[in-house]
Amino acid sequence: MSTHETAAHETVFAGAVLAKLEALYPKYPDKRSLLLPALWMIQEARGWISDGSVAEVAETLGLTSAYVRGVVTFYTMYHTHPVGRHFIQVCTTSPCGICGAEDVARALVKETGCGDLGATSPDGRFTVIEVECLGACGFPTPILIDDDFIENVTVDRVPAILARYI
Amino acid sequence: MGYPHPIHPKETPVLSKHFGEVEARPYAGWVERGGYVALKKALTMAPDDITSEVKASGLRGRGGAGFPTGLKWSFMPKEDGKPHYLCCNADESEPGTFKDREILRWTPHALIEGCAIAQLAIRAETCYIYIRGEFTEPYHILQRAVDEAYANGVLGANAFGSGRRIDIVVHRGAGAYICGEETAMMNSIEGRRGNPRIKPPFPAVAGLFGKPTTINNVETLAAVPAIINQGAAWYAKLSLSSPKSTGTKLISVCGHVQRPGTYEITMGLPMKELIYDLCGGMRPGRTLKAVIPGGSSVPIMTPEEVENCPTDYEGIVANGSMLGSGGMIVMDDTTDIVHVAMRLAKFYAHESCAQCTNCREGTAWTARILERMLAGEGKESDLGLLLDLAENMTGKTICVLSDSCAAPVVSGIQKFRPDFDRHLNVERPLKTAGV
């Protein structure tokens, strides 16, 4: 899902994406409320939210870049830097923590070659982070790979799961 | 039902009857199962009569606070000429809680119907369902169900031909536990950072976009159609212990039980039966050590407290904790309570919005002190320090996030002191070894 932005900023809110955003305008009394949806659209298109994207969202919704940046950094799911092609979130909060989640997190870091939580593997394929409660505590350990929610992950299952993400 | 397990004879499936049944998910399947009959009935009722019915049912908020739902609705102004809003809290993120996601995934139309009825009661044309960003699958299912409801004339400018407008918008969060706090949620919908607001003004006076607003949890709203269909008296009778706790409650049980899952019980079912009969008890050869009964924000219970505890609002308070969200974390004798407390403190430190000093500093330092203790670097004075921090984190901030961080730490130290002592009384390696 992720593409890394290295060149100059290319406009996201044009054509179909702009139409999708504009279709949401009547659902809210002001444009500022479109900020979270707009940021999701940017991240879906570009993989992360760059300075250029912040400026574009600000311009589109009539906000300032500083304001948009303040909101982006509040929410943990918006990436403020490029991440691997596949972004893995592993839950290690207490209920999963008492059922072996930390071992799963270690196995994910090792098998992906990321070296550390939050780092991207040298081949650009994966980034692994620990997250707080994914809300599937009865099925430890839940992980999110991109948009795929996977439950009951154990250390043994890690290699086979990763093989599905090229 | 105890999703993903079959219905247990001691369960009372009302909300969970169709969990696991894919045919119940689409609009047509839901209508075949009696869906939207309650909404059609509500469309013929006066708004205040809907509220009175819900009030008489005894339904209380299922998100954690347990506030009487009908009473909350009655706080909404009447002929004030302003737009009103309903916010449905689908930001389920409380550690141990995974019940709302089953409603969202299996019976999304039950929620849509509940929202629509509540909107009629509080005179709100628009409802925003705020769903946490990590719930990718539930989000897509819910959005599809809302689209279906519009396509079938349930929602829109002329709901079921009644001439009434009912709109529902699904609003996706982006990773912030605190947005489950009602005023933070309103800020998040408005495109702001999810900082909780100072109350008063309360949402019923000035909430979303400054207009009168009611915020209800997914499970609360999903229970409303059954109350309208079967009547308040039927619902109020579903009570095994305290008459102040009525109806059914989804309890999501996780941790060291044999059959973790989401169970639906009549209020007041003994907690022991829930743990041992419904969930199959502890893993072989293990014994119960502790229970966090209502999501991570409530005090930890000992096996003695669990022994005669009815699972309802009053019963759990009488036994040293709270029903909260009904997210139950069961721990066996392999569990180190200090480790549990550390992970929870890290959770709260990560999720603190950081606008109040006591919370920002208190959660972070609580986590650091517990981590230090686990690393064998703890000091005897740390326990006093943790309790002192907890004291300064309770009742001192805009919202209750910091209180929630203090609860498991204080109850952990009070009830499971040997676990803490074990980390303090360790033979430490020498700092210098002559090299």
Side-chain angles (χ1 to χ4, degrees), chain B residues 349 359-370 372 386 389:
Chain B
C359 177
R360 181 183 66 236
E361 300 299 319
T363 54
W365 279 105
T366 300
R368 270 179 250 174
I369 293 164
L370 289 166
R372 176 169 85 193
L386 283 170
L389 276 172

Side-chain angles (χ1 to χ4, degrees), chain B residues 21-96:
Chain B
E21 200 182 318
V22 287
E23 298 81 9
R25 193 184 289 146
Y27 178 77
W30 190 245
V31 169
E32 273 168 35
R33 286 160 183 79
Y36 292 112
V37 171
L39 175 57
K40 284 180 184 158
K41 186 175 170 188
L43 280 164
T44 67
M45 293 168 73
D48 294 345
D49 292 344
I50 302 174
T51 302
S52 301
E53 195 70 13
V54 171
K55 228 184 223 179
S57 75
L59 176 66
R60 292 165 67 177
R62 303 299 196 223
F67 193 83
T69 306
L71 185 61
K72 191 188 246 188
W73 292 1
S74 72
F75 294 155
M76 289 291 276
K78 287 174 186 138
E79 313 301 327
D80 62 343
K82 291 181 191 168
H84 293 185
Y85 292 103
L86 174 70
C87 292
C88 168
N89 189 342
D91 192 51
E92 183 169 63
S93 330
E94 173 86 3

